[in-house]
C-alpha cells in the first residue's frame, strides 16, 4: 500500500487510535508498528462483518467506508510508524 | 492480571507471536505493548467465537482452553512488554 495515501486517509482513525497510532483509550488497540498483513486482515474482517464483541460494531461502520486500496494504504501507513 | 502467571502461560502463544511478543510472520499480530483491555477483549471474542476470517479459527482453538484468569494474566504480560 501507499503510506502517504494512508496517512491522508487516517484522520478518522486518529480520533480513537491516536495521532501516532498509539491510542489513549484502554479499549482501542495501538496500531503503530503492527503487522501490515494483520491490519489488512482485521480491517477486511470488520468490513465483512466477521467480528462481533467489544468495539466491533463501531469498527464495522468505519471499515464499511473503506475501499481495498484505502485498507492497504492505511495498513502501510500504520505498520510503518 | 498477573504478568508472571501470564508469562508462564505464554509458551503456546510464543510459537506464533514471538518470544517477546513481536511475531516473525506477517499475518500474526505483534502483542508486545498492546493495550491490556484490548488484548482481553480480543481473546474473549475469539473464545466466544465472535471472530471469523483470517486466523480466527486457529485463535478460537487457542482461546477456548483459556480461563478468564489466564486471559487477564496473558494480557498483563504482553501489554507490559
Amino acid at each position: 500500500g501507499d503510506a502517504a495515501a494512508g496517512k491522508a486517509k487516517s484522520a478518522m482513525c486518529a480520533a480513537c487510535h491516536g495521532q501516532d497510532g498509539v491510542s489513549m483509550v484502554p479499549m482501542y488497540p495501538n496500531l503503530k508498528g503492527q503487522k501490515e498483513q494483520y491490519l489488512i486482515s482485521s480491517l477486511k474482517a470488520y468490513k465483512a462483518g466477521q467480528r462481533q464483541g467489544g468495539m466491533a460494531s463501531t469498527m464495522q461502520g468505519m471499515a464499511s467506508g473503506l475501499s481495498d486500496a484505502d485498507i492497504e494504504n492505511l495498513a502501510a501507513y500504520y505498520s510503518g510508524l
Side-chain angles (χ1 to χ4, degrees), chain A residues 21-54:
Chain A
V22 176
S23 87
M24 299 303 135
V25 178
M27 263 302 277
Y28 305 159
N30 300 326
L31 302 180
K32 179 179 179 173
Q34 183 53 278
K35 286 283 181 286
E36 189 166 359
Q37 281 309 312
Y38 180 70
L39 288 170
I40 291 170
S41 166
S42 307
L43 278 170
K44 289 187 172 178
Y46 282 120
K47 186 175 178 181
Q50 294 177 314
R51 290 191 170 190
Q52 291 78 44

Side-chain angles (χ1 to χ4, degrees), chain A residues 14 16-23 28-33 77-78 81:
Chain A
C16 298
H17 292 289
Q19 288 305 334
D20 60 350
V22 176
S23 87
Y28 305 159
N30 300 326
L31 302 180
K32 179 179 179 173
Y77 170 61
Y78 280 110
L81 286 180

Side-chain angles (χ1 to χ4, degrees), chain A residues 2-14 19-20 70 73-78 81:
Chain A
D2 173 346
K7 180 168 183 157
K9 195 74 190 176
S10 70
M12 78 176 179
C13 316
Q19 288 305 334
D20 60 350
D70 290 331
N73 295 339
L74 283 165
Y77 170 61
Y78 280 110
L81 286 180

